[in-house]
Amino acid sequence: MELVKHIETLLEKYFEAATSIREEEELKAYFSGDEVAPHLEEYRPLFNYFSVAQEETYSKEIPLKPATSRGYLKWISVAAAVAVTMGIFFDQQSSPSLEEQYTQEEIRSAQLALSMFSKNFSKGTDGLSYLTEFEKNTNKFLTNEK
Amino acid sequence: MNQSEFLNTVLPFKDKLYRLAKRLLVSREEAEDATQEIIMKLWTNNAKMSSYNNVEAFAMTMTKNYCLDRLKSKQANNLKLVHSNYKDENTSLQKSIEVKDSVSWMERIMENLPEQQRLVLQLRDIEQYEYDEIEKMLDMKPTAIRVTLSRARKAVREELLKKHNYGIS
């Protein structure tokens, strides 16, 4: 009877959230036992549940390896970005070295050759301009047909 | 911190993370994913971990925030699966059936509590944290915790009494 009184006061405190961890343990122990007073029976599921819920465990494996490989991948992407920027940088640097590789004379002669080539090329395209005239006339026929 | 040191610090409380996640997300799969996600996050930040004075409390807070975010996203709402996988050793069949029944009842009652009450009840009554630890984890004032806890306990009691009375009449 003493015990029941004690449990009742503990329960009262429990519902006011005024119990300490040890008092809560006491309640759990009482309700997990076989001698629960009949009028307190209704609280049994509550405290039993807490004990059961406490035993649930996380059984899945913890895969730590992917975390490291993900970091590895990150560094690879950094390295790739560095390689690409270096490539662009050196590519741009190599272009002005044209003047260093060839003498002024050589460059001039190359320019001359290129200008001759372009002049002749444009002559050729001038010859082709007659073709546009031809096209005009055929277009006339085509529209007439419609 | 190397891998084995990391595991030594994290493994003791991984079940607590999982149970907290399950309390909030209900579905076992969701809770497992959440736990894994949290541990991975801790692992990627493990250089900073030694500067946290309480890794466990920090991880619990992370789990809480992560789960609440999951609940807010619609994605999680479609995935509310209820699982009860309890093993009771050393109890007789009759008793174990009774226990299982009451456990699933409690489970349902807990599910219907507001998130904040569920959190506090989980941390206090199941994980048995002291109030000052819960304060840190949930970033709440001590009085607020006590009020929430008291409300949660009373709400559970009310539901249980209802069930108990139905059982008699």
Side-chain angles (χ1 to χ4, degrees):
Chain A
M1 215 52 219
E2 279 288 299
L3 181 67
V4 175
K5 274 266 159 59
H6 177 61
I7 293 296
E8 275 171 5
T9 48
L10 278 188
L11 270 175
E12 221 162 281
K13 271 174 84 183
Y14 172 79
F15 285 109
E16 295 307 322
T19 40
S20 67
I21 293 281
R22 207 183 318 139
E23 286 168 327
E24 285 164 21
E25 287 281 0
E26 220 175 299
L27 282 170
K28 264 179 217 173
Y30 174 76
F31 283 103
S32 67
D34 288 327
E35 282 154 34
V36 178
H39 68 288
L40 295 176
E41 192 64 38
E42 63 216 35
Y43 297 114
R44 195 207 276 268
L46 179 67
F47 293 98
N48 276 346
Y49 175 72
F50 293 146
S51 315
V52 173
Q54 226 170 9
E55 281 158 21
E56 215 177 330
T57 54
Y58 176 73
S59 47
K60 245 173 131 186
E61 250 179 76
I62 299 170
L64 285 182
K65 288 273 149 61
T68 46
S69 74
R70 206 183 282 170
Y72 191 49
L73 265 181
K74 196 173 75 188
W75 285 111
I76 285 182
S77 61
V78 168
V82 168
V84 168
T85 45
M86 295 266 272
I88 291 166
F89 182 68
F90 283 115
D91 198 40
Q92 278 179 340
Q93 257 197 344
S94 67
S95 49
S97 69
L98 196 73
E99 275 139 5
E100 291 159 20
Q101 272 184 336
Y102 302 101
T103 60
Q104 212 61 23
E105 195 67 23
E106 279 171 328
I107 290 168
R108 214 171 297 141
S109 68
Q111 277 171 340
L112 197 70
L114 282 172
S115 66
M116 268 167 75
F117 171 72
S118 77
K119 224 178 267 170
N120 284 325
F121 193 80
S122 56
K123 247 185 232 169
T125 47
D126 281 347
L128 283 174
S129 66
Y130 298 113
L131 277 177
T132 57
E133 201 66 30
F134 179 72
E135 205 177 337
K136 258 184 221 163
N137 288 329
T138 50
N139 278 347
K140 248 180 232 165
F141 285 120
L142 285 171
T143 48
N144 282 353
E145 244 172 60
K146 275 183 189 171
Chain B
M1 195 180 275
N2 66 33
Q3 194 166 323
S4 66
E5 280 172 335
F6 175 78
L7 288 177
N8 284 340
T9 39
V10 169
L11 287 187
F13 59 80
K14 71 162 176 27
D15 293 335
K16 293 183 184 178
L17 301 182
Y18 170 66
R19 288 192 291 253
L20 181 68
K22 188 155 178 277
R23 176 67 55 224
L24 286 169
L25 299 174
V26 179
S27 149
R28 189 175 125 188
E29 277 84 1
E30 281 272 305
E32 279 175 350
D33 288 350
T35 315
Q36 192 172 323
E37 188 71 20
I38 296 301
I39 294 174
M40 296 280 267
K41 272 186 190 168
L42 283 173
W43 174 238
T44 45
N45 290 335
N46 82 59
K48 277 184 253 161
M49 229 158 87
S50 44
S51 64
Y52 306 141
N53 40 16
N54 189 344
V55 181
E56 183 175 333
F58 178 76
M60 291 297 268
T61 311
M62 264 175 85
T63 310
K64 180 207 82 180
N65 292 335
Y66 180 83
C67 292
L68 292 180
D69 283 350
R70 292 288 297 161
L71 285 175
K72 263 183 219 157
S73 74
K74 278 180 191 165
Q75 212 186 344
N77 287 338
N78 302 331
L79 273 172
K80 274 197 173 172
L81 303 169
V82 185
H83 288 271
S84 37
N85 49 321
Y86 299 105
K87 291 179 216 110
D88 299 309
E89 291 97 359
N90 65 43
T91 37
S92 68
L93 183 67
Q94 177 67 31
K95 205 178 174 191
S96 77
I97 288 168
E98 267 172 37
V99 166
K100 206 169 183 184
D101 185 48
S102 70
V103 162
S104 58
W105 250 103
M106 275 299 299
E107 193 100 296
R108 236 169 296 162
I109 292 170
M110 296 279 279
E111 268 168 43
N112 291 327
L113 291 178
E115 279 153 19
Q116 209 67 17
Q117 293 186 9
R118 258 192 273 172
L119 271 170
V120 177
L121 206 59
Q122 173 76 17
L123 293 176
R124 178 64 181 191
D125 278 343
I126 295 170
E127 306 302 353
Q128 298 179 310
Y129 282 114
E130 289 289 351
Y131 286 112
D132 55 339
E133 288 174 301
I134 299 173
E135 270 168 49
K136 271 182 226 144
M137 285 171 196
L138 301 184
D139 192 24
M140 279 169 83
K141 294 229 166 65
T143 46
I145 291 173
R146 278 176 198 267
V147 168
T148 314
L149 183 62
S150 168
R151 269 187 206 150
R153 284 170 173 174
K154 281 175 183 168
V156 172
R157 175 177 63 179
E158 206 169 300
E159 287 300 312
L160 273 179
L161 287 181
K162 257 190 226 166
K163 197 244 173 179
H164 196 72
N165 291 340
Y166 288 149
I168 290 166
S169 56

